[in-house]
Amino acid sequence: MGHTLLEKVWDLHTVRTLPSGQTQLFIGLHLVHEVTSPQAFDVLRARGWRVARPDRTFATVDHIVPTRERTRPFLDVLAEDMIAALERNCRDFGVRLAGLDDDRQGIVHIIGPELGLTQPAMTIACGDSHTSTHGAFGAVAFGIGTSQVRDVLASQCLALEPMKVRRIRVTGTLSRGVYAKDVILTIIHRLGVGGGVGYAYEYAGDVIARMSMDERMTICNMSIEGGARVGYVNPDETTFEYIKERPFAPGGEAFERAKAWWRSMASDPDARYDDDVEIRAEELTPVVTWGVNPGQSVPVTGRVPAPNGAGGDAQAIADALGYMGLRGGEPIAGTRVDVAFLGSCTNSRLSDLREAARIVSGRRVAPHVKALVVPGSASVKRAAEREGLDEIFRAAGFEWRSAGCSMCLGMNPDKLQGSQVCASSSNRNFKGRQGSPTGRTLLMSPAMVAAAAIAGEVTDVRALFT
Amino acid sequence: MKITRLEGTALPMRGDDIDTDRIMPARYLRAVTFEGLERHLFEDERAGSAAGDRAGTVHPFDNPVYRGASILVVNRNFGCGSSREHAPQALQRWGIRAIVGESFSEIFFGNSLMIGLPCVTASPDEIRELMERVEERPNARLRVDLEAGTCALDGFRCAVMLPGHARDALVTGTWDTTGMLLERYDEVDRVASRLPYVAGF
């Protein structure tokens, strides 16, 4: 009987079974940012502990950084305090920091892979639920809270319970205009926002095998929106090609040895899964969310559901429609948007910006729409500018910003105002998510966001292909 | 601190998939401590609700009949979304000592356990029954017994589930994990040294 990647990585990183029955798991890479770490560092300071493995720890700033005016001190005193705290903590505890002016700065889940910090068969932890992104490389990556950040800082370990593995095979061929974002939104819609609790999702099948690393990251990123704390793809040649020659990747002959080991850690062909699901690519279309959780989506050609009947589901639909200001039974296409946001750890990589730029090139953003592009990292920004993507976006009427989490969660000055409707390439359409208590979010692929920006309403991007 | 039995009045918070952005809006994460977070619990949906919203509904956290409640009763997938520990921190600082629900998001469950806030589950029917009873008699006392795995209110009694490790950790007072993880650091070093990416390829 073979083993899954999850089982192999778990076994190799197990220190011992704790008296509680949990597994003490060694964490190979700890990524740190300004929002979920200050209280953890304070505990270390109070108890006289050091950071156990500064060499396995890397920090950056992303959640609260302004994306326009970055002069210090920030106008937002609270944000300034948080950045200053992270700078002080990294200095005091010897943690590497890609700070605001560092050319490696960016969203933590974008820069880990970019720098080659993220590698197959590692265990990775970060105080952020989208840490599952790193699973695209065949890493087992956990989103954690601040008390667990404290644990990892102090001991380089976590106390965890074993997980089941659900394999999700995406098979066939995606049609044009259907992207990784549509695949994961469909998976979440079908399996539910709580369907993955207790599971790691292993994404497999020929569609995933043909995907680029950027696309795989989009899929793994949103595992948590389906309830699965961990999502991964088995490492293959695409993975190795991406990692090769990155700053923290093994070089020369070591890279060849690393590849052999990485390959050996992939799930065996005869591995046993706790559950197995198949998604047929031919059935997929561009998808848009209409509600207040990422499972509430319809094909762009579809209609918003009506709250028929009694019971909890009808109540949830009615509640979501009320918040969103939508009427059940209406087509989702044609829903007017006020803001178009291209960004977030889900979809702000170079390939996302290229695809969106292809749509907006030679077109203009609708007059009533505020549109902004927030590249995921300083490096993505530079690469996009080298290709002239910034000029394409600017010419179309988009604002071109600096890297950060930005309007995905509105912790910086980029927020929805009032009950604005936002076409967003981000990951969460929760009530109030984008910084306004009554703001409304429609999740979709970057190309669909670009199309919505141009049309001023939700529209099928496939009609804009030339 | 050992946590074995919790007793107090309850607060029903109806709805599936209540996410941590709703529990604690992101703008209140702009702070270097958890202090005072309880003032912003569910703030966005509570705006104006003390006087009743358009439908005349008062948010449970504003409803005076639940003032002083210490046990929260919730539905399915409570605490989904963001891993912000600020959510359970705020609930605990508000006075919540235990949560009884149909199910919880994994990260929320873990974050709550880390701060000694037990999240126990019961069947959807039992949760419905509990919520109805609490709404009828808000001053009735709910008792959650982690050792016996039961909860009781006003003659109604049902089993509550908690994974074995979590129950053991709470009832033996070992839910603060850092000490345990630091205990045998030589074993950690041994594991690290067998990992090719740590030891060198």
Side-chain angles (χ1 to χ4, degrees):
Chain A
M1 178 71 79
H3 296 282
T4 62
L5 176 141
L6 183 98
E7 292 170 318
K8 295 183 196 184
V9 171
W10 193 276
D11 288 349
L12 199 63
H13 290 77
T14 295
V15 176
R16 61 175 178 138
T17 302
L18 294 167
S20 64
Q22 288 175 298
T23 304
Q24 177 171 359
L25 207 65
F26 180 79
I27 298 302
L29 173 65
H30 186 197
L31 297 167
V32 174
H33 63 85
E34 74 278 21
V35 174
T36 53
S37 66
Q39 300 90 340
F41 279 113
D42 281 350
V43 175
L44 264 68
R45 213 173 255 118
R47 298 193 193 173
W49 291 333
R50 59 188 182 87
V51 169
R53 295 293 302 246
D55 60 324
R56 312 292 329 159
T57 312
F58 196 95
T60 191
V61 290
D62 54 6
H63 282 66
I64 54 112
V65 299
T67 57
R68 202 174 355 217
E69 178 51 66
R70 293 196 171 214
T71 319
R72 297 281 297 275
F74 298 146
L75 289 173
D76 179 348
V77 179
L78 299 175
E80 177 61 31
D81 281 354
M82 296 188 79
I83 294 254
L86 184 66
E87 288 168 343
R88 186 177 61 249
N89 288 330
C90 287
R91 203 168 49 237
D92 290 358
F93 288 93
V95 171
R96 295 163 294 177
L97 169 66
L100 196 66
D101 301 323
D102 194 303
D103 62 10
R104 301 170 299 178
Q105 180 266 339
I107 305 176
V108 66
H109 309 309
I110 308 271
I111 71 161
E114 255 174 19
L115 295 173
L117 287 163
T118 302
Q119 293 173 17
M122 268 185 177
T123 46
I124 300 179
C126 175
D128 188 284
S129 63
H130 292 114
T131 307
S132 56
T133 312
H134 306 267
F137 292 79
V140 174
F142 305 94
I144 57 178
T146 299
S147 294
Q148 287 181 313
V149 170
R150 174 200 67 203
D151 278 2
V152 183
L153 287 174
S155 73
Q156 202 60 31
C157 292
L158 280 173
L160 293 165
E161 304 81 60
M163 284 175 286
K164 295 181 282 187
V165 182
R166 171 178 290 144
R167 181 169 62 176
I168 302 174
R169 286 176 304 132
V170 187
T171 60
T173 308
L174 293 174
S175 56
R176 193 159 179 233
V178 181
Y179 297 93
K181 183 64 157 288
D182 302 303
V183 173
I184 188 62
L185 282 172
T186 303
I187 289 171
I188 296 163
H189 176 73
R190 292 204 190 161
L191 301 180
V193 289
V197 172
Y199 284 97
Y201 280 176
E202 177 179 308
Y203 302 100
D206 53 320
V207 171
I208 304 290
R210 285 192 301 273
M211 279 184 174
S212 68
M213 291 315 297
D214 284 8
E215 294 173 295
R216 294 177 188 181
M217 282 188 259
T218 297
I219 302 256
C220 290
N221 171 273
M222 289 189 70
S223 299
I224 186 64
E225 311 312 335
R229 189 180 201 175
V230 165
Y232 67 87
V233 175
N234 282 304
D236 61 10
E237 289 305 320
T238 306
T239 321
F240 309 147
E241 257 327 289
Y242 180 103
I243 296 171
K244 199 173 181 180
E245 291 170 10
R246 302 255 165 197
F248 288 95
E253 285 174 20
F255 186 76
E256 293 308 311
R257 288 192 293 275
K259 252 167 63 169
W261 182 67
W262 293 337
R263 216 177 262 126
S264 75
M265 295 298 284
S267 294
D268 298 321
D270 58 343
R272 198 192 63 81
Y273 295 91
D274 299 287
D275 192 26
D276 216 331
V277 174
E278 184 179 3
I279 304 277
R280 296 285 308 155
E282 286 76 13
E283 297 169 7
L284 305 190
T285 59
V287 168
V288 182
T289 62
W290 55 267
V292 295
N293 73 53
Q296 293 174 321
S297 64
V298 281
V300 66
T301 51
R303 288 170 186 277
V304 174
N308 294 324
D313 287 347
Q315 179 65 43
I317 292 173
D319 174 63
L321 290 177
Y323 182 85
M324 295 299 293
L326 295 172
R327 273 213 295 272
E330 286 184 346
I332 189 75
T335 304
R336 185 182 157 100
V337 306
D338 308 299
V339 177
F341 171 61
L342 274 171
S344 88
C345 58
T346 311
N347 279 123
S348 64
R349 298 177 192 85
L350 186 58
S351 58
D352 298 317
L353 303 191
R354 280 181 184 150
E355 202 59 28
R358 276 195 334 130
I359 305 298
V360 306
S361 181
R363 297 188 169 107
R364 286 287 304 168
V365 170
H368 68 274
V369 174
K370 173 194 170 76
L372 67 161
V373 187
V374 183
S377 68
S379 159
V380 168
K381 187 182 188 194
R382 286 192 302 273
E385 287 172 353
R386 277 197 298 274
E387 293 182 16
L389 301 186
D390 58 326
E391 291 306 321
I392 295 174
F393 283 115
R394 280 206 184 93
F398 277 83
E399 295 174 38
W400 180 253
R401 301 289 190 85
S402 296
C405 300
S406 180
M407 202 183 269
C408 174
L409 81 168
M411 283 190 73
N412 75 343
D414 308 332
K415 300 177 202 303
L416 293 184
Q417 305 297 321
S419 53
Q420 281 181 325
V421 175
C422 179
S424 181
S425 70
S426 58
N427 42 56
R428 288 184 174 140
N429 51 342
F430 297 151
K431 292 175 180 175
R433 170 72 180 183
Q434 292 192 280
S436 163
T438 51
R440 296 172 282 180
T441 305
L442 306 170
L443 301 176
M444 57 190 84
S445 71
M448 284 282 288
V449 170
I454 302 298
E457 59 184 34
V458 173
T459 190
D460 191 337
V461 66
R462 294 173 296 187
L464 294 184
F465 289 136
T466 44
Chain B
M1 185 177 70
K2 292 178 182 174
I3 300 173
T4 53
R5 272 182 290 276
L6 302 122
E7 182 178 341
T9 57
L11 188 161
M13 176 78 205
R14 289 182 180 271
D16 293 335
D17 308 313
I18 292 178
D19 59 76
T20 53
D21 274 86
R22 278 176 66 187
I23 300 171
M24 185 48 56
R27 60 186 179 280
Y28 298 114
L29 275 51
R30 284 159 45 253
V32 295
T33 76
F34 292 126
E35 279 164 35
L37 279 177
E38 67 279 8
R39 290 197 299 271
H40 306 294
L41 208 49
F42 289 105
E43 180 163 301
D44 289 344
E45 58 192 57
R46 286 169 66 183
S49 104
D53 63 13
R54 273 171 302 176
T57 319
V58 178
H59 194 279
F61 277 85
D62 282 322
N63 196 331
V65 304
Y66 302 125
R67 195 164 292 152
S70 61
I71 300 174
L72 184 62
V73 187
V74 300
N75 293 111
R76 193 175 63 192
N77 199 30
F78 185 80
C80 62
S82 161
S83 63
R84 58 190 70 166
E85 188 176 305
H86 307 67
Q89 286 274 359
L91 287 166
Q92 192 178 55
R93 285 159 197 268
W94 191 86
I96 299 298
R97 294 290 168 262
I99 312 181
V100 185
E102 290 176 43
S103 62
F104 296 90
S105 120
E106 206 168 315
I107 300 180
F108 181 88
F109 178 91
N111 285 343
S112 300
L113 178 62
M114 294 291 288
I115 59 171
L117 177 63
C119 298
V120 301
T121 58
S123 74
D125 286 344
E126 287 159 344
I127 293 295
R128 192 173 57 237
E129 175 90 33
L130 269 179
M131 284 182 163
E132 283 169 6
R133 283 173 181 258
V134 172
E135 283 163 353
E136 267 168 43
R137 283 220 321 129
N139 57 352
R141 294 184 78 75
L142 179 60
R143 282 185 303 282
V144 178
D145 187 329
L146 300 182
E147 277 177 308
T150 57
C151 89
L153 174 122
D154 238 7
F156 174 76
R157 196 179 160 86
C158 69
V160 291
M161 310 285 284
L162 187 63
H165 74 84
R167 190 196 59 224
D168 292 351
L170 291 163
V171 303
T172 60
T174 54
W175 40 270
D176 183 349
T177 41
T178 324
M180 263 191 312
L181 294 174
L182 280 169
E183 230 164 57
R184 292 197 235 153
Y185 207 75
D186 51 325
E187 292 183 41
V188 177
D189 283 336
R190 186 177 48 75
V191 168
S193 67
R194 76 176 179 220
L195 297 169
Y197 67 84
V198 177
F201 285 105

